[in-house]
Amino acid sequence: MAKSQDKPELIINGKRTDGRAPEDLRPIKIESGLLKNAAGSAYIEWGNNRILAGVYGPREALPKHTSDPEKAVIKCRYQMAPFSSLEEHGRTGPNRRAIEISKVTKEVFENVIIRENFPGSEISIFVEVLQSDGGTRAAGITAAAVALAGSGIPMTDIPYAVSIGKIGEHIVIDLNKLEDNYSDADVPIAFSPRLGKIVLLQMDGNMTKEEVSKALVMAKDAGAIISKLQTDALKAPYLKISEKYKDEAPSDPQQK
Ligand code: CDP
């Protein structure tokens, strides 16, 4: 939200500073399964954000007192690399913001992971922000969802996240850092599309009920694009394998 008196002009003739229309997402690329030692992993480029997500587990919950005999506990660590923004991060451990983002990310996945399948165990999600430019929690959640699905951990859905907001009179989606700094409202939101549920909603600034309704429609439209990028990323390694073997037709046992 507005943090300075010298607010730059963020929308001129209907275009944002990076050339986007209010309803446009930044370019997004997702890659799944690129880390060998994690149970699941994903790398996301979302505008100028660069984020790696890695998943471990299910494994025995340690220390023991953190475990739940009924279901798996989800642990999450969101962290910004020291070089991920102009301000150095992480030197003295997690700050309040990183702790908050870790908490809301964990809560998103508590909604969709079938935790009852793994009593006494823990599933750990790590989100490492290598480069940041606004919307890192949304991009991190979107990547972590791919990492979890790729690891085979059973989930009722693959959630995605995006921010919606308000710049002057304009309702916009997917705010970059400059827009985030000077917007009138910034609302990170995560959806479970199959269940039709909102699984994260935070709000910095003010929007009317009508403005939120309009923004939610934009977020849903953008969500269809993000969901497809997630599933395409999950399929890509398997498509590569089938491409490699496409000329080796299985032999017909009846001909022997
Ligand atoms: O990244 P996200 O929008 O989820 O969180 P934010 O707290 O609204 O931060 C917006 C952006 O400001 C981040 O993406 C970073 O680029 C930057 N930022 C930073 O560099 N250092 C901080 N301590 C907080 C934010």
Side-chain angles (χ1 to χ4, degrees):
M1 44 181 299
K3 285 160 193 154
S4 159
Q5 295 311 311
D6 350 297
K7 190 169 166 171
E9 201 68 57
L10 291 176
I11 304 197
I12 301 171
N13 297 330
K15 291 274 177 219
R16 296 155 72 175
T17 50
D18 53 12
R20 283 184 291 156
E23 67 277 15
D24 287 346
L25 288 167
R26 289 173 281 180
I28 302 174
K29 269 199 239 167
I30 311 176
E31 202 180 323
S32 167
L34 63 162
L35 302 179
K36 292 273 173 282
N37 297 334
S41 58
Y43 171 65
I44 190 162
E45 293 184 1
W46 184 318
N48 292 320
N49 292 313
R50 305 279 182 270
I51 300 173
L52 260 176
V55 171
Y56 282 97
R59 56 185 173 177
E60 186 185 2
L62 290 173
K64 258 279 173 274
H65 68 83
T66 64
S67 75
D68 181 334
E70 306 281 321
K71 54 188 181 300
V73 290
I74 313 295
K75 297 181 179 174
C76 177
R77 188 189 74 189
Y78 162 103
Q79 127 177 317
M80 288 179 79
F83 47 77
S84 63
S85 68
L86 293 177
E87 173 198 335
E88 185 171 345
H89 284 267
R91 187 180 278 210
T92 51
N95 56 21
R96 280 174 57 168
R97 176 177 169 276
I99 293 167
E100 173 213 321
I101 297 178
S102 302
K103 177 179 181 287
V104 298
T105 301
K106 165 181 121 87
E107 287 169 357
V108 165
F109 292 104
E110 283 174 348
N111 279 283
V112 290
I113 294 175
I114 305 175
R115 296 192 287 147
E116 294 71 20
N117 285 10
F118 307 106
S121 62
E122 70 178 45
I123 293 167
S124 316
I125 303 166
F126 297 95
V127 175
E128 304 285 319
V129 179
L130 309 177
Q131 185 173 288
S132 72
D133 187 27
T136 59
R137 82 195 65 200
I141 288 166
T142 301
V146 172
L148 281 160
S151 77
I153 288 169
M155 296 195 284
T156 51
D157 201 0
I158 301 176
Y160 67 82
V162 67
S163 68
I164 53 180
K166 187 173 146 186
I167 299 173
E169 299 300 297
H170 303 269
I171 303 301
V172 295
I173 193 164
D174 186 20
L175 291 81
N176 63 28
K177 181 173 186 295
L178 182 70
E179 293 175 329
D180 178 303
N181 283 355
Y182 294 102
S183 64
D184 299 283
D186 174 27
V187 184
I189 182 159
F191 290 97
S192 162
R194 201 169 72 82
L195 306 180
K197 259 174 53 176
I198 291 175
V199 284
L200 164 79
L201 192 135
Q202 297 184 276
M203 190 161 203
D204 187 10
N206 292 311
M207 285 171 90
T208 64
K209 205 170 152 190
E210 290 70 33
E211 287 168 342
V212 171
S213 300
K214 185 176 170 190
L216 283 175
V217 173
M218 261 188 199
K220 245 182 152 185
D221 291 345
I225 300 171
I226 303 169
S227 276
K228 178 159 188 326
L229 289 167
Q230 288 176 306
T231 44
D232 285 352
L234 285 162
K235 284 183 206 159
Y238 301 99
L239 293 175
K240 258 189 223 157
I241 295 171
S242 65
E243 181 66 17
K244 190 170 164 198
Y245 294 108
K246 77 173 189 292
D247 296 328
E248 295 177 25
S251 55
D252 182 350
Q254 305 216 318
Q255 282 185 358
K256 282 193 179 161

